[in-house]
Amino acid sequence: MKKGHFISFEGPDGSGKTTISSLVSQALKKRGFDVVYTREPGGIRISEMIRDLILDPKNVEMDAKTEALLYAAGRRQHLVEKIIPNIDAGRIVLSDRFVDSSLAYQGVGREIGIKEVFDINMFAIEGYMPELTIYLDIDPQVGLDRIGSRDFKDRLDQEDISFHERVSQGYELVKEKYQERLKIFDGNRSIEDLTSEITEYIIEWITAHEA
Ligand code: ADP
Ligand code: TYD
C-alpha cells in the first residue's frame, strides 16, 4: 500500500488558500493521486457545528480562550475521525488550515501567547503535525481587500486591521519556528501560476518521501 501524507495550507484571510488548495487537490487527483480534501475549522459534522459556533457574528461575547479551546476541540475530532484514518489508508490528506492557524490567530492575534495555544493544541492532537505546509504569503491588507466584497463576513473577518496585522506577525513566528516544514509561495502571483507550481512541488515532495 502507498504511504499516506498530511499536507496543510496556511496564510492570512484572503491569501487564496481555499481557491488554490481546491484547485491543487483537483490537479493531483487528475494526475492519479488518491487525495482527500478537507478544511478547518470544520471538515466533518461535529467540527462544522463547532465552526458555526465560533464564526457566528452574533457571538460577540466569546472569550478568547473559549475560542482557542473550541478550535482545538474541532481539530481533535477532525483529526481522529478523518485525517488519521485517511492517512492510515494511504491517502494524501490536504487540509485548508490546521494548527498553525491557531498559533497565529489565537496565540498572537488574540494575544493568548503562542506557547499557551501550542500546549492546548498538543493535548488535542498529541503531536500529530502536518509533514508539509504550503504557505501563501500576502500582505494582510491585500487579503482583506480581496475578501471585502464577500456578502457574508464571519466573526473573525470582521475584526479590525490591527488584529489581522498581529495574525500576520504570528505567522512570521510560525515561519521561523517551522522552517523545515513550511514552503512559502508568493500569494500575489496569479491563481494559475500558483496552482501549477504548488501541484508540481507537492508531486516532487511526495516522490521524495515515497520510501
Ligand atoms: P482564503 O481561503 O485564503 O481566505 P480565498 O481562496 O477565499 O482565500 O480567496 C479570496 C479571494 O481572492 C477570492 O475572491 C479569490 O478568487 C481571490 N484570489 C485568490 N487567490 C488569488 C490570487 N492569487 N490572485 C488574485 N485573486 C486571488
Ligand atoms: P476559513 O474558513 O479558512 O476563512 P477564510 O477563508 O476567510 O480564510 O477560517 C475561518 C476563520 O477562522 C479565519 O478567519 C481564520 C480563523 N481560524 C482561527 O482563528 N484559528 C484556527 O485555528 C483556524 C483553523 C481558523
Side-chain angles (χ1 to χ4, degrees), residues 10-15 17-18 39-42 51 54-55 67-68 71-72 75 96-106 110 121 147 150 154-157 163-164 167 171:
E10 291 283 351
D13 293 275
S15 56
K17 293 175 305 301
T18 307
R39 70 162 181 183
E40 286 205 355
R51 174 190 176 95
I54 302 172
L55 297 181
E67 180 184 288
Y71 276 116
R75 180 162 299 129
D96 179 357
R97 297 191 183 277
F98 195 66
V99 70
D100 298 325
S101 289
S102 280
L103 302 180
Y105 283 77
Q106 283 64 55
R110 294 291 192 216
N121 273 278
I147 62 174
R150 271 185 194 165
D154 66 42
R155 196 170 57 81
L156 276 86
D157 291 336
F163 172 78
H164 291 283
V167 169
Y171 270 129

Side-chain angles (χ1 to χ4, degrees), residues 23-73:
L23 289 169
V24 167
S25 163
Q26 288 164 28
L28 288 171
K29 282 181 189 165
K30 274 199 199 131
R31 303 273 285 269
F33 291 90
D34 193 359
V35 176
V36 172
Y37 180 63
T38 191
R39 70 162 181 183
E40 286 205 355
I44 41 138
R45 192 179 64 86
I46 291 174
S47 306
E48 290 288 336
M49 288 165 78
I50 297 174
R51 174 190 176 95
D52 291 344
L53 182 64
I54 302 172
L55 297 181
D56 187 340
K58 286 200 299 294
N59 291 338
V60 282
E61 70 275 40
M62 189 178 288
D63 169 74
K65 288 184 182 170
T66 306
E67 180 184 288
L69 288 163
L70 285 171
Y71 276 116

